[in-house]
Amino acid sequence: MSVPLGIVLGLLAWFIVRYIAFSFYTVDQNERAVKTIFGRAERLPGPPMDDPFTEYLRPEERERYRYPQVRVIPPGGPYFKWPWEKIYKVSIATQTINMALDLEDPRANQGGTVLEAVTKDQLNVGLKGQIRYRVSERHLYAYLFGVKNPVVHVMGYFISILRERIANFAAPATETGQLSTSAGEGAEMSGVSINDLRKNLRDLNELMDRECLSSAARYGIILDASLITEIDAPPEVESAMAAINTAHNQVSSDISLAQAAADQKIVQSKRAVEIETLKAQAEVEPLLALAEQLYALKKSGADALSAYLRNVRLGLYQQAERVIMEVEQ
């Protein structure tokens, strides 16, 4: 075998091993893949489909985040790709991350443990919790090619909204205009922002879920849940808040006792009124029966009523010891 022929066969063998044998790939069950051909993502034919997530964007943002729909390779395989094609695999499993973690600077936010925010009454509080998210299969173009680091972007987006909501959060008012209190939490004073936040933590988490619905259209990531678990105030403020809450609890307890005593008196008054009413009815009933009887006697004849009066008078005479009668002269 000549040297040139050997070189050609060697190059051919290298090409087959490098670009044919290693061109087969598979996609796991929790993964989706997107293929690019000469660097361009393989797109779906036909006009772009309407994205339901765009309704959560502001009107001026809808054109900016209008990404094309790409062909998604489902789990399975083996698949084959040509040397000029490239496969991007993405895990769509739900993941959880500490909301205080800064992916670009792990030292930020006290080492990624506490996220600071300012409340409506200028109180600096520390937040602890997690974010649960997953990659949107429908928005793989935005996740892979729309932004450079979508997780960093969506974290910044979430934290910005969270700080803005905490800075403007106020407890919802009830129909009577009073600040709402949850069951079992009436011991804490309403009107102080950190107390309102703690009592309405579930509402705050649900509000964040609604506010972040546009993250799929923006960055290709769906925020499944916001899990804020703790809201801590500075130690010096915490002690002052404890004193305020204790005083408020005492006042609330006194008010409750006074209301209970007033309610008891009202109930006793109602019972007394009912008893007196029944007594009056008991006295009136015989009189009513007697009136009906006299009316019936009067209807039976002109002499019946006189006879009845005479019989009654004779009964009285029998019971009386002495009778004084006026004699006409």
Side-chain angles (χ1 to χ4, degrees):
M1 178 182 298
S2 61
V3 174
L5 180 59
I7 294 173
V8 172
L9 292 177
L11 289 175
L12 182 61
W14 176 83
F15 180 83
I16 292 174
V17 173
R18 175 66 178 83
Y19 292 106
I20 302 299
F22 289 100
S23 293
F24 290 94
Y25 65 95
T26 59
V27 179
D28 292 339
Q29 290 297 321
N30 64 336
E31 290 181 338
R32 300 293 183 269
V34 174
K35 180 192 293 183
T36 58
I37 303 174
F38 293 113
R40 187 177 190 274
E42 191 177 11
R43 307 186 183 192
L44 294 177
M49 295 181 294
D50 294 334
D51 185 0
F53 288 88
T54 55
E55 66 175 293
Y56 304 114
L57 296 170
R58 291 192 291 268
E60 63 272 17
E61 294 177 335
R62 292 176 182 173
E63 193 63 31
R64 186 198 316 170
Y65 294 106
R66 186 180 180 86
Y67 295 112
Q69 292 291 320
V70 296
R71 184 184 300 280
V72 179
I73 301 174
Y79 299 106
F80 179 79
K81 70 178 182 65
W82 292 105
W84 52 86
E85 296 176 342
K86 186 176 180 180
I87 303 300
Y88 292 86
K89 295 181 182 179
V90 177
S91 173
I92 60 169
T94 300
Q95 302 183 46
T96 303
I97 189 171
N98 190 328
M99 66 171 58
L101 180 62
D102 191 332
L103 297 176
E104 294 183 323
D105 185 6
R107 297 171 299 177
N109 300 330
Q110 302 182 20
T113 57
V114 178
L115 178 66
E116 294 184 349
V118 180
T119 62
K120 188 177 183 180
D121 49 6
Q122 310 301 317
L123 183 63
N124 192 18
V125 297
L127 306 174
K128 295 180 181 178
Q130 296 176 334
I131 302 172
R132 194 168 62 216
Y133 70 94
R134 59 185 170 85
V135 177
S136 173
E137 183 177 345
R138 183 187 179 91
H139 303 89
L140 286 182
Y141 187 93
Y143 181 80
L144 291 172
F145 313 110
V147 292
K148 186 176 181 180
N149 195 335
V151 178
V152 173
H153 279 75
V154 82
M155 287 287 292
Y157 174 69
F158 174 83
I159 291 171
S160 299
I161 294 179
L162 178 60
R163 283 175 169 161
E164 193 271 339
R165 288 294 173 263
I166 287 180
N168 298 286
F169 185 85
T174 61
E175 295 180 354
T176 58
Q178 300 294 328
L179 296 178
S180 65
T181 56
S182 303
E185 296 180 347
E188 293 187 351
M189 184 176 62
S190 299
V192 179
S193 59
I194 188 170
N195 282 338
D196 293 340
L197 287 168
R198 285 171 173 170
K199 287 186 296 183
N200 298 277
L201 201 55
R202 180 177 179 180
D203 294 339
L204 180 62
N205 283 325
E206 293 177 352
L207 178 65
M208 290 303 301
D209 292 341
R210 292 195 299 270
E211 292 290 335
C212 295
L213 286 175
S214 64
S215 63
R218 292 172 182 269
Y219 312 115
I221 293 179
I222 297 176
L223 287 172
D224 277 346
S226 166
L227 307 171
I228 303 172
T229 56
E230 291 185 35
I231 301 178
D232 299 328
E236 62 275 11
V237 177
E238 193 71 43
S239 60
M241 294 296 298
I244 294 174
N245 287 331
T246 301
H248 181 266
N249 294 342
Q250 183 63 39
V251 173
S252 299
S253 176
D254 294 342
I255 292 174
S256 299
L257 291 175
Q259 288 179 343
D263 293 340
Q264 187 177 7
K265 289 183 178 178
I266 291 173
V267 171
Q268 291 176 349
S269 300
K270 289 182 179 178
R271 294 293 302 273
V273 171
E274 291 177 356
I275 291 172
E276 294 300 327
T277 302
L278 291 176
K279 287 182 178 178
Q281 289 178 351
E283 294 177 356
V284 168
E285 286 298 330
L287 298 177
L288 293 175
L290 179 60
E292 291 179 356
Q293 187 177 7
L294 294 175
Y295 181 71
L297 290 173
K298 185 178 180 181
K299 290 179 63 178
S300 62
D303 298 331
L305 188 58
S306 301
Y308 173 78
L309 293 175
R310 184 188 62 189
N311 292 334
V312 172
R313 189 179 295 113
L314 290 176
L316 293 175
Y317 288 160
Q318 291 177 354
Q319 297 177 6
E321 295 179 356
R322 291 186 299 176
V323 176
I324 300 174
M325 299 183 63
E326 182 180 4
V327 179
E328 295 181 357
Q329 293 181 355

